[in-house]
Amino acid sequence: MKMNEVLYNAAAIADRVQELAKELDVAFDGSSIVAVVALKGAMPFAMDLIRSMKTPIAVELIRAKSYLGRESTGEVEFSLLPEGDLTGKTVLVIEDILDTGRTARAIYGALLIQNPQRVHVVTLLDKPARREVEFQPDWVGFSIENVFVVGYGLDYDEAYRQLPDIRVLEL
Ligand code: IMP
Ligand code: MG
């Protein structure tokens, strides 16, 4: 295994997060939202993002485990769901990365049944070429090629989440 080049350094990530924060503030126009942070990968992104936003934000957490590979269906299980009532709320799901799209679609579905007014999705990274189920996020930080990346929350077997940059991992 070899740690390859830095794809986005900490400064580039910070710049893009600031841009996204501004775009989101404009979109929500001062009305309050509930941010649902997808654990664990989206933690650094979510905290940097919401800290830069002026929109009033309540924070909830969701934890989805994807079992792609074990089952051909690629089932998604939840080990943590939002505790607050989402009825009538404007929800913003904050994701680390969209790959096949299964996790994001499952999260979207799990939140929709709580009758929110709307569910929006922002993801730091998107790998559109890898999509296996239809899913279109509302905001994307960086759209990337089909490479495996680590750092800034993203892991390989729980390692590398603490890296300040996003790097390509050659497996
Ligand atoms: P999906 O359900 O296939 O879209 O997978 C999404 C999940 O797969 C993410 O939340 C990550 O945990 C993991 N994942 C997909 N691609 C990468 C990557 O390049 N680096 C680290 N984790 C990844
Ligand atoms: Mg992971």
Side-chain angles (χ1 to χ4, degrees):
M1 192 190 315
K2 187 173 117 223
M3 195 71 83
N4 214 336
E5 91 267 32
V6 172
L7 200 55
Y8 299 104
N9 65 24
I13 296 167
D15 285 350
R16 185 68 186 118
V17 170
Q18 293 306 311
E19 285 176 4
L20 282 172
K22 287 204 186 93
E23 276 184 48
L24 290 161
D25 277 336
V26 169
F28 295 120
D29 195 26
S31 61
S32 61
I33 66 165
V34 180
V36 176
V37 182
L39 298 179
K40 304 174 209 173
M43 287 193 298
F45 172 51
M47 292 307 100
D48 288 346
L49 184 70
I50 69 176
R51 199 161 33 193
S52 299
M53 288 173 66
K54 296 188 171 68
T55 300
I57 301 173
V59 179
E60 294 285 347
L61 306 171
I62 195 163
R63 171 99 169 105
K65 271 256 169 205
S66 169
Y67 290 96
L68 193 67
R70 193 189 71 178
E71 308 277 317
S72 56
T73 52
E75 89 192 64
V76 176
E77 272 175 19
F78 293 96
S79 56
L80 183 68
L81 285 163
E83 288 179 343
D85 183 14
L86 300 182
T87 308
K89 301 280 175 66
T90 298
V91 172
L92 176 67
V93 182
I94 307 181
E95 298 252 22
D96 53 354
I97 189 164
L98 261 70
D99 189 42
T100 66
R102 290 180 199 283
T103 306
R105 201 178 63 166
I107 289 175
Y108 191 83
L111 297 176
L112 265 194
I113 58 172
Q114 295 198 33
N115 293 312
Q117 191 181 60
R118 249 212 86 174
V119 178
H120 305 262
V121 176
V122 58
T123 185
L124 174 65
L125 298 167
D126 188 14
K127 292 187 200 175
R130 292 263 307 163
R131 203 72 91 250
E132 287 174 15
V133 299
E134 186 99 20
F135 196 86
Q136 186 57 49
D138 300 282
W139 293 274
V140 174
F142 302 105
S143 191
I144 66 172
E145 303 291 305
N146 180 17
V147 289
F148 196 86
V149 289
V150 295
Y152 195 61
L154 291 143
D155 74 306
Y156 172 69
D157 215 3
E158 295 302 324
Y160 310 119
R161 289 193 199 275
Q162 78 207 72
L163 296 179
D165 307 315
I166 296 171
R167 288 172 175 267
V168 175
L169 190 69
E170 300 236 323
L171 301 170

